[in-house]
Amino acid sequence: MMTHFNTQLLDYVSCSPTPFHAVANAVPWLLDAGYQRLNESDDWVLSPGGKYFVTRRDSSLIAFKHGAKPMLETGIRILGAHTDSPCLKVKSQPDVARQSYHQVGVEVYGGVLLAPWFDRDLSIAGQVSVLNQDKAVEQHLIDLKRPVATIPSLAIHLDRNANNDRSINAQEQMLPILWQAGGKGETFRTWLLSHLASQGVVVSEVLDFDLSFYDAQAGASLGVANEFLACARLDNLLSCFVTLQSLLASAEDVTNLVVLNDHEEVGSRSTAGAAGNFLTGVLDRLLPDTQERHRVETQSMMMSVDNAHGVHPNFVNKHDGNHGPKLNDGPVLKFDANQSYASQSVMASRVRVLARNAEVPLQDYVTRADMRCGSTIGPITATLTGIETLDIGVPTFAMHSIRELAGAKDPEMLFRLLTAFLNDY
């Protein structure tokens, strides 16, 4: 039977089809736990013992406990993850009418594994900027929650080589079908207006939007013994969920912080991304004395939490023989000599001791010497802050597919380890 922890995890991921929703769905947990919402444009008065959170562009979030113990004695323990996932985003002028079908032009966001997007029941979610009846600009979150589109495959009879040598042209072949036109003359924007009206939001004009298609199928446990979790966006909303739960479960008297950045999948170079000044700006306000901040940073540590590649039984040769993590065998320490991962041996050794004391098994991942690995927010954050950082995550299959697979035991093991890390002073 699936545990309560995993039920909450899948509910969170399934209800968070975009980074905007991932942040919005985390806010009630923080408010219920006594966290105070801050605004970046306000003057902050932070008190020892206080609990706070702040969002940026509605898609990134930082939450922290201002511990009563001096940070010069304890340093800060930081957990980081990212709210975005590879997907298909709606273009700004998306309308395409072909053969009486109304299709929507899309951009490929991040390193999408395109083939699994065919023949799925797709929905739409994101943020819409509108002009209200008072001629003021405002934003609304939308989530249709039901299937409204699909990208049909071409029949095998019309492409006999589809199973042998198939390439996918994202511009020509990835346009979802949204409706059959039938001479109505409706556009994507007018359709959005009618949808907003059906939700009781009366606006005069849709100005812009940040909308994504997503798989309407909810997450589920599977396997004969329910040993797996299948869901979209496990990379990296699984880590967002676990880091926040670890923060909520951590000690009250020391300073701990969680940062969830948007735009990791496209390089983190944005105001909401890890290469922006969101985290450094919060640290500046938490520690306004520059010399004190640098002293605290030398005693601080961060875990960059992002999924790892489990060794695939059908593609064993894609892994180094000594570094093939298995699902349900525990979190994975991720190493790369070229610094695509931030892990270093000294901090890794400390985490190994923590894991041993918490009775959490650990695995290692190093990519094959003839292949390149991906990266995370870890090296970027370490560079900007000077804080020692380690990359870690649960092993998964089908990373960047429309539906990914993780082990049912690993999220709770990761939670135990991250909570122990936040309490390790």
Side-chain angles (χ1 to χ4, degrees), residues 324-343:
K326 295 179 176 60
L327 275 58
N328 289 314
D329 273 12
V332 181
L333 302 184
K334 299 155 68 174
F335 297 92
D336 178 60
N338 297 300
Q339 300 302 296
S340 288
Y341 301 134
S343 305

Side-chain angles (χ1 to χ4, degrees), residues 196-356:
L196 290 167
S198 71
Q199 303 300 304
V201 180
V202 181
V203 299
S204 60
E205 184 182 354
V206 171
L207 298 170
D208 282 291
F209 45 75
D210 187 336
L211 297 174
S212 306
F213 284 95
Y214 72 93
D215 185 4
Q217 184 179 5
S221 63
L222 58 87
V224 171
N226 289 315
E227 59 262 64
F228 305 116
L229 302 175
C231 196
R233 301 176 301 282
L234 290 176
D235 176 25
N236 193 32
L237 293 189
L238 183 155
S239 300
C240 292
F241 175 83
V242 177
T243 55
L244 285 168
Q245 295 303 315
S246 300
L247 177 68
L248 296 176
S250 65
E252 297 287 333
D253 58 343
V254 292
T255 301
N256 292 322
L257 182 148
V258 164
V259 54
L260 307 180
N261 286 117
D262 195 1
H263 298 142
E264 187 274 346
E265 297 292 359
V266 291
S268 297
R269 297 181 305 276
S270 71
T271 57
N277 69 345
F278 190 28
L279 176 58
T280 55
V282 169
L283 292 176
D284 282 341
R285 297 173 114 171
L286 186 58
L287 293 158
D289 182 272
T290 302
Q291 184 171 185
E292 180 182 358
R293 176 185 162 180
H294 290 327
R295 293 173 65 194
V296 169
E297 286 171 341
T298 64
Q299 300 180 68
S300 300
M301 292 189 293
M302 174 179 174
M303 280 198 184
S304 166
V305 191
D306 204 341
N307 293 2
H309 297 292
V311 58
H312 196 305
N314 297 340
F315 301 92
V316 176
N317 64 350
K318 293 296 184 180
H319 284 260
D320 180 271
N322 292 332
H323 302 89
K326 295 179 176 60
L327 275 58
N328 289 314
D329 273 12
V332 181
L333 302 184
K334 299 155 68 174
F335 297 92
D336 178 60
N338 297 300
Q339 300 302 296
S340 288
Y341 301 134
S343 305
Q344 303 291 332
S345 61
V346 173
M347 184 174 171
S349 298
R350 185 166 179 172
V351 171
R352 291 189 197 279
V353 174
L354 272 177
R356 188 176 303 160

Side-chain angles (χ1 to χ4, degrees), residues 170-184:
Q171 174 69 19
E172 296 293 332
Q173 299 170 352
M174 295 302 298
L175 282 72
I177 296 174
L178 201 57
W179 66 77
Q180 196 157 14
K184 297 178 182 178

